[in-house]
Amino acid sequence: MTHLGFDHNLLIGLHIIAVIAWMAGLLYLPRLFAYHTRSAPGSEMDETFKTMELKLYRIIMNPAMIAVWLLGLTLIWFDAVQERWGWAFLLTPWMLVKLAGVLFLTTWHHYLGRARKGLAAGRRDRSERFWRATNELPFLVAIVMILAITTKFAF
Ligand code: HEM
């Protein structure tokens, strides 16, 4: 294997590790919200969920999202420049699907961040049913993104 190949594979590996951590948070946080909405503001359960959600968001999700972005952007540069694909690959259908998915996941991440603040302030803006119904959205989007990037639609 060439040195260039190893760098690329290492970057992809690190990118996937960061993606796993980010996805874990995106899938777990709404599940905490579903239980949290049941608790009375100011109760012991409320305080426990507040702490769990804050730590999950700040310690796992934010750094993981930043790492995914930094490694993803580095991979774009790597593919365009080192692998000599040129920048036009950004407009291929598989990359556009990938970028649309990333945009959705990033928006969802920030939406969850605002919802976390609302719950911490004692508001119950969304129902338990809402959090259960939307819980799988990031996973469905991730499935489409991952198959787009691994197959590159070359069936
Ligand atoms: C945040 C912005 C992101 C950018 C800019 C980005 C960009 C990239 C690029 C350029 C590659 C290398 C493609 C190749 O050389 O074949 C890649 C690989 C990959 N990405 Fe991302 N990505 C991002 C986020 C994500 C997310 C959120 C997921 C999953 C939900 C993901 C899953 C993957 C996987 C599985 C691979 C490996 C594909 C393969 O080896 O064939 N990425 N990414």
Side-chain angles (χ1 to χ4, degrees):
M1 189 187 290
T2 65
H3 184 60
L4 204 68
F6 175 79
D7 287 351
H8 197 185
N9 290 337
L10 181 64
L11 267 178
I12 288 187
L14 294 173
H15 180 61
I16 291 173
I17 291 166
V19 164
I20 290 172
W22 191 24
M23 289 304 303
L26 287 173
L27 295 173
Y28 188 39
L29 191 60
R31 199 136 283 273
L32 291 178
F33 289 170
Y35 291 110
H36 194 169
T37 47
R38 281 190 207 163
S39 70
S43 64
E44 197 180 326
M45 213 165 113
D46 181 42
E47 292 305 321
T48 306
F49 279 119
K50 275 193 211 172
T51 309
M52 288 171 80
E53 289 159 4
L54 181 71
K55 288 194 170 165
L56 181 63
Y57 197 72
R58 293 253 172 95
I59 300 174
I60 308 283
M61 292 173 66
N62 277 342
M65 181 184 66
I66 292 167
V68 167
W69 269 98
L70 289 179
L71 291 160
L73 292 175
T74 310
L75 275 166
I76 287 180
W77 170 82
F78 207 100
D79 284 342
V81 178
Q82 299 289 326
E83 300 282 359
R84 298 175 200 278
W85 288 3
W87 297 100
F89 89 94
L90 289 174
L91 295 177
T92 55
W94 61 271
M95 198 60 203
L96 288 175
V97 167
K98 171 82 188 269
L99 293 175
V102 158
L103 219 64
F104 170 81
L105 292 180
T106 305
T107 308
W108 187 246
H109 176 105
H110 287 101
Y111 175 73
L112 293 179
R114 276 203 308 279
R116 187 199 67 74
K117 282 187 185 153
L119 280 159
R123 293 199 308 276
R124 303 290 184 258
D125 297 330
R126 298 282 180 193
S127 64
E128 179 179 347
R129 196 154 166 251
F130 173 83
W131 292 120
R132 285 189 189 283
T134 55
N135 192 229
E136 311 304 335
L137 274 180
F139 191 51
L140 293 177
V141 171
I143 290 172
V144 175
M145 288 168 68
I146 291 171
L147 291 181
I149 203 152
T150 56
T151 67
K152 301 194 171 39
F153 298 137
F155 303 113

